[in-house]
Amino acid sequence: ANLSLAALAHPLGGLDTVFYDQRPTFGWHPGLLIEGATIQVPFLADLVSLTDPTSPWTFLNYLRSRERLFPFYFAERLHIQRAEYDAYCRWVSENLPGLHFGHQIDAVRWNPERDVFEVDFTQLDTEGEAEALGRTYARNVVLGIGTEPYVPDP
């Protein structure tokens, strides 16, 4: 859902977005990419197609970029393999600007003088150790909590 939000926000003029993720790289359902298993919805339920079919981040554009659009079309399959969907999502995450993996959010607080949120983060190295500290400012914040909800104390 967070990757979908980033892809849908990308073309919107006047909207400057940044997305931080603690994981070092994108992974869609790691451990569940069983060979031959398909996703449960047709390929049009990708990150963006039902909302913006003209987006550069559609599954069909992914296939086109890999020169696989016509073989996919002639195969006549609506449900794609889970591994293919993971590859598609990784393609989006590697090409979509504004995504920052390996960043742990440490604090979010309201700054009433500047009328913005201050977001403190730690950039992590490949072993997950602190590499650098940073701060960014935002008028709005979206919190993606993942599959195990955790809401920090105010």
Side-chain angles (χ1 to χ4, degrees), residues 15 28 34 40 45 48 80 91 98 103-104 110 117 119 142 151:
L15 184 61
W28 182 75
I34 302 162
Q40 297 172 331
V48 295
I80 60 176
W91 171 76
H103 285 70
Q104 172 183 299
W110 180 250
F117 289 98
V119 180
V142 175
V151 179

Side-chain angles (χ1 to χ4, degrees), residues 32-112:
L32 296 175
L33 302 179
I34 302 162
E35 187 174 338
T38 60
I39 61 173
Q40 297 172 331
V41 295
F43 71 91
L44 285 176
D46 63 12
L47 297 171
V48 295
S49 288
L50 293 176
T51 302
D52 182 6
T54 63
S55 169
W57 309 114
T58 64
F59 179 73
L60 291 177
N61 195 43
Y62 159 76
L63 290 174
R64 184 175 157 266
S65 76
R66 298 283 192 264
E67 298 183 3
R68 293 188 40 243
L69 184 57
F70 287 108
F72 175 79
Y73 173 74
F74 289 115
E76 297 182 2
R77 288 178 303 207
L78 291 178
H79 295 83
I80 60 176
Q81 292 192 11
R82 293 175 67 82
E84 175 100 82
Y85 191 77
D86 175 67
Y88 154 66
C89 289
R90 281 187 286 110
W91 171 76
V92 173
S93 73
E94 292 165 0
N95 291 286
L96 185 63
L99 303 182
H100 300 281
F101 290 91
H103 285 70
Q104 172 183 299
I105 301 301
D106 302 314
V108 178
R109 67 188 155 275
W110 180 250
N111 182 325

Side-chain angles (χ1 to χ4, degrees), residues 1-2 20-21 23 142-152:
N2 295 327
Y20 296 100
D21 197 306
R23 296 176 297 176
V142 175
L143 179 63
I145 58 174
T147 56
E148 294 182 29
Y150 170 75
V151 179

